[in-house]
Amino acid sequence: MSVQVEKLEKNMAKLTIEVSAEEFEKALQAAYLKQRGSISVQGFRKGKVPRQMIEKMYGPAIFYEEAVNSCIPGAYADAAAECGLEIVSQPEIDVVQVEKGKSFIFTAEVAVKPEVTLGDYKGIEVVKAEVEVSDEEVAAELEKVRKQNARTITVEDRAVESGDTVTIDFEGFVDGVAFEGGKGTDYPLTIGSHSFIDTFEDQLIGHNIGDDVKVNVTFPEQYQAADLAGKPAVFEVKVKAIKAEELPEVDDDFAQDVSEFDTLEEYKADLAKGLAEKKEKDAKNAMEDEAIEKVIANAQMDIPEKMIEAQQQRMIEDFAANLQQQGLSMEQYMQFTGLNQAMLMEQVKPQAEKRIQSRLVLEAIAKAEAIEVADAEVDAELEKMASMYKMELETVKGYMGEEGIAQMKEDIAVQKAVEVVMANVVVK
């Protein structure tokens, strides 16, 4: 395997990768051995047809696709390691030459981590927010705790109201025909959550257990399923159960139930203290964000679009994993919200770009300041993880692997770079 590197504009690069004729021949032979059992030729038993006979009848290209697909991953991985570039995107593959008896050549276009030219990162001016806690904020926090400790009761003597959670069966129809993904059984829906399209939830208000309700809605014009976009639909809904929250009285007994305090006043004072601490932390984070944004504005970097796209995709994958933990698939989320993959990608793009910019400037600061991370610092972080997950330190190290531990070391260096910036800010 050999690789040639061509630098392109906007921190893109093209790798031209050549797999020797001998290696490609091995891949062709492996493809033949894998596929021969499914190829029939008169006069031969299945699986016993010689390769030369198959290639004579169907042409040697019959095995190209399998051979190419088996060659590319390993050859690309070797080329990426050999070329010395810091690649930050998935490759765009293009086959250049594939022919029996010749070397196999393909190109891989990739985004390369951009260089950062730092501007001023010391003496950055930031504004510190005032940290005050109002009585209204304490009351709102108290109400939040009250709702967290609400008792869920089954309602049987009244109709659905806003805020109730109803259990429903539903099936959707467009032009009288049921559509894919529009059916659900024993689905818990909180009225007022706006998790269903249009006025779906509002139309259930006033109905009782056992009611069959025809809900009329219109799909958004930009709905993720193009065949449903902008169309009116009818959902046949069965209301099966109604549940509501019963809130506790806010008094000394409540304070004793939810905290270590004997009186409501003591508990409210503790809530105020906690809110103040949170506001202090939020103010610190806001100052950091403001400082880093100004450092980014003072710096120069040319981020390739493919690098941003890769970050967008990771963010969406993380979001999908969080949805999965809540029992909701990405397909269901997109159906209920009317979003599609392209719309989600566009939504997260500004945040994806900001994450990349922040990381790049902080890595550049760490390099400029010759920041080093001792093994003891990494071990301390690993020990925190081991304690959190109640695992042995060596087990955590095993799970992290060399790559994960190296990433942790980089993360610590980046955090130290933040500390450098914040140690030199001018607070207004």
Side-chain angles (χ1 to χ4, degrees):
M1 191 279 303
S2 65
V3 57
Q4 293 180 338
V5 179
E6 178 187 356
K7 296 287 184 68
L8 306 176
E9 292 182 344
K10 294 186 178 296
N11 287 300
M12 296 294 292
K14 181 186 284 187
L15 311 183
T16 300
I17 302 162
E18 183 172 348
V19 178
S20 69
E22 292 78 10
E23 286 300 312
F24 190 58
E25 171 56 31
K26 290 178 183 177
L28 287 171
Q29 180 64 13
Y32 157 69
L33 294 174
K34 183 176 179 180
Q35 296 182 20
R36 64 182 177 178
S38 61
I39 298 173
S40 298
V41 173
Q42 192 172 0
F44 292 90
R45 285 184 297 153
K46 257 192 176 181
K48 299 296 182 181
V49 187
R51 176 179 158 190
Q52 293 81 358
M53 180 67 71
I54 296 172
E55 290 179 336
K56 184 176 180 181
M57 290 188 67
Y58 298 102
I62 189 172
F63 299 122
Y64 284 176
E65 183 177 358
E66 180 72 33
V68 163
N69 288 339
S70 69
C71 277
I72 286 176
Y76 170 74
D78 291 343
E82 183 182 313
C83 70
L85 300 176
E86 194 163 354
I87 295 170
V88 291
S89 72
Q90 292 297 317
E92 280 193 14
I93 302 295
D94 187 29
V95 173
V96 176
Q97 175 176 287
V98 54
E99 189 174 341
K100 185 179 178 183
K102 293 185 178 181
S103 57
F104 166 52
I105 303 173
F106 67 99
T107 62
E109 194 167 307
V110 295
V112 179
K113 187 176 181 178
E115 291 290 329
V116 176
T117 303
L118 287 171
D120 292 336
Y121 60 87
K122 292 181 179 178
I124 301 294
E125 292 188 348
V126 295
V127 178
K128 183 177 181 181
E130 292 297 321
V131 178
E132 294 181 359
V133 177
S134 67
D135 292 341
E136 290 76 16
E137 288 173 313
V138 174
E141 189 67 16
L142 194 61
E143 186 64 17
K144 190 188 299 182
V145 177
R146 188 181 179 215
K147 287 182 178 179
Q148 289 170 352
N149 287 273
R151 188 166 64 95
T152 301
I153 59 171
T154 300
V155 176
E156 296 179 341
D157 58 352
R158 64 164 174 82
V160 176
E161 297 177 359
S162 182
D164 288 344
T165 297
V166 294
T167 302
I168 59 173
D169 291 345
F170 63 88
E171 185 169 14
F173 299 84
V174 171
D175 298 327
V177 178
F179 57 87
E180 187 177 354
K183 187 174 184 178
T185 303
D186 291 330
Y187 189 91
L189 175 63
T190 300
I191 306 301
S193 64
H194 305 295
S195 54
F196 273 32
I197 62 168
D198 205 3
T199 59
F200 187 105
E201 296 164 28
D202 297 338
Q203 294 179 56
L204 297 181
I205 294 175
H207 288 281
N208 293 285
I209 295 170
D211 284 357
D212 292 310
V213 187
K214 287 192 181 296
V215 174
N216 293 279
V217 295
T218 300
F219 285 100
E221 292 292 340
Q222 301 300 318
Y223 194 63
Q224 51 95 14
D227 58 328
L228 299 177
K231 291 186 177 180
V234 177
F235 280 85
E236 294 182 357
V237 181
K238 179 82 168 181
V239 180
K240 301 176 76 175
I242 305 171
K243 291 187 178 181
E245 290 185 341
E246 187 175 69
L247 299 175
E249 291 294 324
V250 179
D251 52 22
D252 288 345
D253 289 338
F254 172 74
Q256 292 166 19
D257 288 340
V258 300
S259 75
E260 60 189 31
F261 301 100
D262 293 327
T263 68
L264 180 60
E265 288 307 310
E266 289 176 309
Y267 179 49
K268 287 167 71 174
D270 186 66
L271 287 177
K273 179 184 175 185
L275 285 170
E277 290 172 352
K278 182 180 182 301
K279 281 196 168 189
E280 284 284 359
K281 184 178 179 181
D282 290 345
K284 178 177 178 288
N285 291 338
M287 287 168 61
E288 286 185 2
D289 288 345
E290 183 184 357
I292 299 306
E293 282 180 12
K294 290 182 177 179
V295 172
I296 290 169
N298 292 340
Q300 293 180 359
M301 66 194 95
D302 191 2
I303 302 174
E305 195 64 29
K306 291 293 181 184
M307 185 179 186
I308 298 172
E309 288 175 8
Q311 179 65 44
Q312 289 169 274
Q313 193 60 50
R314 284 193 294 272
M315 290 169 67
I316 290 174
E317 287 169 1
D318 289 344
F319 179 64
N322 289 334
L323 284 177
Q324 196 70 42
Q325 289 178 351
Q326 299 170 40
L328 194 67
S329 69
M330 180 60 86
E331 182 181 8
Q332 289 172 316
Y333 173 79
M334 290 194 292
Q335 184 171 10
F336 296 153
T337 60
L339 297 173
N340 56 34
Q341 182 76 7
M343 292 162 73
L344 282 172
M345 287 283 282
E346 194 61 32
Q347 274 188 3
V348 303
K349 185 172 183 179
Q351 189 181 358
E353 193 165 7
K354 184 178 177 181
R355 284 189 185 183
I356 293 169
Q357 291 170 333
S358 298
R359 183 78 184 197
L360 288 175
V361 296
L362 290 170
E363 286 178 351
I365 291 169
K367 184 177 179 181
E369 293 287 326
I371 290 173
E372 294 184 357
V373 178
D375 290 342
E377 294 175 277
V378 177
D379 286 342
E381 288 298 315
L382 290 169
E383 284 170 2
K384 285 181 189 175
M385 290 181 64
S387 176
M388 183 187 304
Y389 295 110
K390 296 181 172 54
M391 297 167 64
E392 294 294 326
L393 178 59
E394 291 305 314
T395 304
V396 172
K397 285 183 176 180
Y399 280 129
M400 293 287 288
E402 289 184 11
E403 188 175 332
I405 291 173
Q407 181 64 54
M408 179 176 283
K409 201 166 189 176
E410 289 179 14
D411 292 343
I412 295 171
V414 163
Q415 185 53 46
K416 285 187 169 187
V418 173
E419 291 166 6
V420 168
V421 173
M422 297 311 295
N424 291 279
V425 296
V426 176
V427 180
K428 294 191 293 184

